[in-house]
Amino acid sequence: MTTRTRMTITTTMGMTTPTGTTMSNETPAAAAESAVPSPAGAPSMAGLFRLIQMTDSAFPVGTFSFSNGLETAAHLGIVHDAATLREYARSVATQAAFSDGVAALLAFRAARKGDYAAVCAADRDLLLFKMNDEARLMLCRMGKKFAELGLRRHGEGSLFGRWLADIEAGATPGTFPVAQGIAFALDGLGERELYVSHQYGVINMVLSAALRLVRVSHYDTQKILSELGGEVEAMYDKARGMGFENMNAFVPEMDILASLHEKGSMRMFMN
């Protein structure tokens, strides 16, 4: 086993000690250079910063406009307290884990290889998988906004430049999970970080909407978020080996709620 030794450098200011010895005022080595390196495979600090930035609920892709069907569920009394909200959020997370999450992973791997055709295939396959108009609307609006942000960060010559041009030309739908996959690949982040970010965003979208729709507190939503976060790793272990043909999202009640919302009068959220 290799022993790693770290040298500590003391900063001094040219002071005189009680014994009369003059201390050195030489400039110390930069703190960053003496820091313990990140474990193998872990994102750098800059990468971790980008991960937090893209996962933040304030990231400007319009997540605040959508409730993932919660608006209708709350209106009908299906979700009315913390316990029912927890089960609803878990259903949304499970549905996303083995559909949107799988598409994000497939797009990420394709982007890492520079396989643009496979990126677009994941994009089209995911949209075909969605059963209601509002889900398709949500994915495409958020995906295009993410692509516009990605273009400004990475430039016209990047994968985002080509993908956004095809979105605007109608050649590919531009779904949000695929945009996430492209972004994480271009920023050198790993697929585990991508999956965590995706699942966090899905759950947090529902819980943020719940604060405006359901009689729950921030304490309730944060507890639910922590509990469901403990289930993400098991979902990833299953999703990482799945292809499009294995994707599944059998939560029929949510699709019924979405169809009711399309024809209903509740319009605090777009879905």
Side-chain angles (χ1 to χ4, degrees):
M1 181 173 68
T2 302
T3 301
R4 189 183 299 275
T5 303
R6 184 176 63 172
M7 181 180 294
T8 302
I9 300 175
T10 304
T11 303
T12 58
M13 300 298 294
M15 298 172 62
T16 302
T17 67
T19 61
T21 304
T22 302
M23 298 172 66
S24 170
N25 61 359
E26 293 180 359
T27 304
E33 294 176 354
S34 61
V36 177
S38 300
S44 64
M45 292 188 74
L48 183 59
F49 193 94
R50 284 289 294 153
L51 169 61
I52 294 171
Q53 180 182 3
M54 290 187 287
T55 306
D56 195 325
S57 59
F59 194 59
V61 292
T63 55
F64 64 88
S65 300
F66 302 96
S67 73
N68 254 311
L70 182 65
E71 185 169 20
T72 304
H75 178 75
L76 296 176
I78 296 170
V79 177
H80 54 84
D81 59 9
T84 52
L85 175 62
R86 181 186 298 107
E87 293 312 306
Y88 188 85
R90 176 176 283 116
S91 294
V92 172
T94 302
Q95 184 185 54
F98 306 122
S99 56
D100 302 51
V102 173
L105 293 175
L106 295 175
F108 170 84
R109 293 165 187 166
R112 286 279 296 267
K113 296 176 183 177
D115 188 347
Y116 183 70
V119 170
C120 292
D123 200 20
R124 290 189 296 270
D125 287 348
L126 178 58
L127 198 69
L128 290 172
F129 195 80
K130 295 299 173 181
M131 295 185 66
N132 60 80
D133 288 338
E134 288 194 341
R136 291 189 286 269
L137 172 70
M138 178 179 71
L139 291 186
C140 291
R141 286 198 177 182
M142 290 170 56
K144 184 177 181 183
K145 182 58 66 176
F146 202 138
E148 291 169 351
L149 291 166
L151 175 67
R152 283 158 178 76
R153 172 169 165 77
H154 295 283
E156 292 281 353
S158 70
L159 187 58
F160 269 126
R162 183 177 180 183
W163 194 56
L164 181 58
D166 281 345
I167 292 171
E168 293 174 340
T172 196
T175 58
F176 182 63
V178 171
Q180 288 178 299
I182 294 171
F184 274 68
L186 293 182
D187 279 312
L189 291 162
E191 67 172 54
R192 289 176 63 87
E193 289 80 27
L194 164 64
Y195 199 79
V196 167
S197 178
H198 174 266
Q199 288 300 109
Y200 175 90
V202 169
I203 298 167
N204 197 45
M205 183 191 301
V206 174
L207 297 180
S208 296
L211 291 170
R212 289 177 275 175
L213 295 168
V214 184
R215 189 169 292 186
V216 291
S217 69
H218 288 282
Y219 300 111
D220 295 321
T221 56
Q222 288 303 306
K223 182 180 179 182
I224 294 169
L225 187 61
S226 295
E227 290 173 353
L228 297 186
E231 301 175 4
V232 172
E233 186 163 8
M235 290 179 173
Y236 168 73
D237 287 341
K238 181 177 179 180
R240 65 180 177 176
M242 296 170 64
F244 176 72
E245 67 281 2
N246 308 121
M247 286 165 58
N248 59 86
F250 187 69
V251 190
E253 188 174 18
M254 289 179 57
D255 289 312
I256 293 170
L257 290 172
S259 67
L260 292 174
H261 191 270
E262 291 174 9
K263 301 172 184 177
S265 58
M266 301 82 68
R267 279 294 178 269
M268 186 180 294
F269 296 90
M270 289 185 178
N271 75 0

